[in-house]
Amino acid sequence: MRRTLVFVLGGLLLAGIIHIATVIMVPYFATDDASTLMRQFGRADVFHILPRAEAGAEPLANLDPKMLYAACRFSLSDGPVRITASLPNNFWSVAIFDRRGRNVFSVNDRSAERSELDLAVLTPVQMAQLRQDPPAALETAIVVELPLDSAFALIRVFVADDTLLSRARADLETADCAGTL
Amino acid sequence: MVGLSTAWLAVDRGYMLGSVSIGDWTAWPRAGTPDADPYSLAWLARSGEVPLGAGEGIAFTAQADHGGEPLAGNCVYRVIGQTPAARLWTLTAYDSEGHLMPNAAQREAFHSQEILRRSDGSFEIMVAADVQPGNWLPISRVDYFELVLRLYDTPLTAGGIFGGSTMPEIRREQCR
């Protein structure tokens, strides 16, 4: 009787541990997550404009069809990254996701208080090294200090109607994520 | 086995912690922040979805009407009322898998700058498979669908005060 109880309790405990471990490990092994799907758009360190979300042809699940997106995979292991773009006066925003798909930074045009997107993304270690002799870029750019290795940035631009699509596309083509400080 | 299967269930059903409901709508404000819980992250990783960041906006999802019935493609719905303060919002219909639905009108969403409003600023959007007068958001005749209302640049994500906010009501009209 006592032995059965021990087995049941032990089993439940083990089940709990496996449950937690599984849930935590899923992002590391997922093959359909956003950062893996980003690879289909092309090589890293370049912004790729995602095909417009239309019925039957959506680059990622649950995208807003009223937005045009551009994504760039980058890594901070070779040094800081500067992300720049000249974007329209209407709504735009940018978000940075880490390897696990966590949204670690986001900003929109209003809170960035400018229409030129200019982010300096660097790790705390790189930041500490740069503090000795800060480059001019750190004065003007929005500094994003994050302990990232591989990550991706996603810019979204509001497209009020289809006639503005080519304009939005041209704006997104100015986006660059290969700059250094 | 129990551990694996409960994990699979929790992740597959999109069970996420920290949901906030206003009226007929539910949002997961923390999914787009660095504090996202492991369940949300696992679900996002499986779906390939990119959540809206707290600095961008917030997405509210509705899967049922005001009476609690699941949204069905053979019914006509009236989405009526106002949204919380936001610089921009969009209303989009997706099928149960999160995909856009093909329709003859080539319209998959409405946004706040193109909508016809009443004098008090409130609006009415008809969600139906057949042509409707006024603001018409077409859907397919699917068994289930969901509506996503995305608020961009909203004070909701900055302060996180959801209590006093009103969301539009989803009223079911007739079904066939």
Side-chain angles (χ1 to χ4, degrees):
Chain A
M1 186 61 207
R2 263 187 70 188
R3 173 173 273 188
T4 321
L5 199 66
V6 167
F7 274 126
V8 169
L9 281 179
L12 281 178
L13 196 66
L14 192 63
I17 293 168
I18 291 173
H19 174 95
I20 292 166
T22 310
V23 169
I24 290 175
M25 292 311 274
V26 162
Y28 292 99
F29 292 102
T31 51
D32 284 341
D33 62 324
S35 68
T36 308
L37 292 173
M38 288 295 166
R39 287 166 200 275
Q40 66 181 306
F41 305 120
R43 63 190 181 89
D45 303 321
V46 182
F47 267 104
H48 301 281
I49 300 177
L50 273 55
R52 192 127 190 258
E54 284 169 7
E58 291 156 274
L60 297 171
N62 261 315
L63 289 183
D64 190 332
K66 293 288 177 193
M67 297 279 166
L68 194 64
Y69 297 81
C72 168
R73 290 184 290 124
F74 64 92
S75 166
L76 292 184
S77 48
D78 300 329
V81 166
R82 195 167 183 195
I83 297 174
T84 53
S86 324
L87 295 170
N89 275 325
N90 217 331
F91 179 88
W92 56 260
S93 67
V94 58
I96 296 176
F97 295 85
D98 70 3
R99 169 71 191 88
R100 287 181 67 197
R102 261 191 316 187
N103 188 318
V104 286
F105 173 82
S106 59
V107 71
N108 65 53
D109 58 328
R110 187 73 57 91
S111 46
E113 291 177 331
R114 59 188 95 189
S115 66
E116 297 282 315
L117 170 66
D118 188 359
L119 299 180
V121 191
L122 66 181
T123 64
V125 174
Q126 288 160 350
M127 185 69 195
Q129 286 163 351
L130 283 177
R131 277 220 178 86
Q132 316 293 332
D133 182 21
L138 279 187
E139 301 278 318
T140 51
I142 300 174
V143 177
V144 184
E145 199 180 320
L146 289 168
L148 292 173
D149 41 4
S150 63
F152 70 91
L154 186 70
I155 304 178
R156 66 186 92 214
V157 172
F158 176 54
V159 184
D161 63 81
D162 288 353
T163 59
L164 299 167
L165 193 60
S166 57
R167 174 73 205 281
R169 205 173 284 276
D171 285 331
L172 281 177
E173 267 160 16
T174 67
D176 178 78
C177 56
T180 50
L181 293 181
Chain B
M1 277 308 286
V2 176
L4 278 177
S5 48
T6 51
W8 184 81
L9 273 179
V11 171
D12 197 61
R13 295 278 164 85
Y15 172 76
M16 300 204 277
L17 304 172
S19 67
V20 172
S21 291
I22 306 177
D24 307 336
W25 304 82
T26 306
W28 288 267
R30 285 214 306 276
T33 70
D35 312 322
D37 63 273
Y39 290 99
S40 303
L41 287 178
W43 184 74
L44 292 170
R46 292 250 308 162
S47 66
E49 198 179 313
V50 278
L52 273 175
E56 307 184 282
I58 188 166
F60 281 89
T61 304
Q63 288 169 333
D65 62 22
H66 199 63
E69 295 292 318
L71 300 176
N74 61 335
C75 296
V76 176
Y77 296 93
R78 189 186 294 271
V79 180
I80 182 167
Q82 298 200 347
T83 66
R87 186 142 61 91
L88 170 73
W89 56 255
T90 62
L91 179 72
T92 315
Y94 296 91
D95 67 13
S96 53
E97 316 248 276
H99 298 298
L100 297 166
M101 292 179 281
N103 63 79
Q106 298 281 314
R107 171 175 281 287
E108 283 131 354
F110 260 105
H111 64 77
S112 52
Q113 296 172 6
E114 66 181 348
I115 205 139
L116 306 168
R117 289 166 196 272
R118 287 191 241 145
S119 50
D120 64 350
S122 69
F123 63 86
E124 219 179 275
I125 297 174
M126 303 303 290
V127 182
D130 299 317
V131 182
Q132 302 289 323
N135 303 310
W136 171 45
L137 181 61
I139 50 171
S140 301
R141 291 187 182 279
V142 289
D143 290 342
Y144 300 107
F145 70 95
E146 60 181 37
L147 291 171
V148 179
L149 183 65
R150 292 186 175 86
L151 305 170
Y152 291 99
D153 192 7
T154 165
L156 275 188
T157 53
I161 306 150
F162 291 86
S165 312
T166 53
M167 290 288 283
E169 231 177 81
I170 304 167
R171 295 187 195 151
R172 191 171 74 180
E173 308 276 294
Q174 70 278 17
C175 295
R176 320 198 273 164

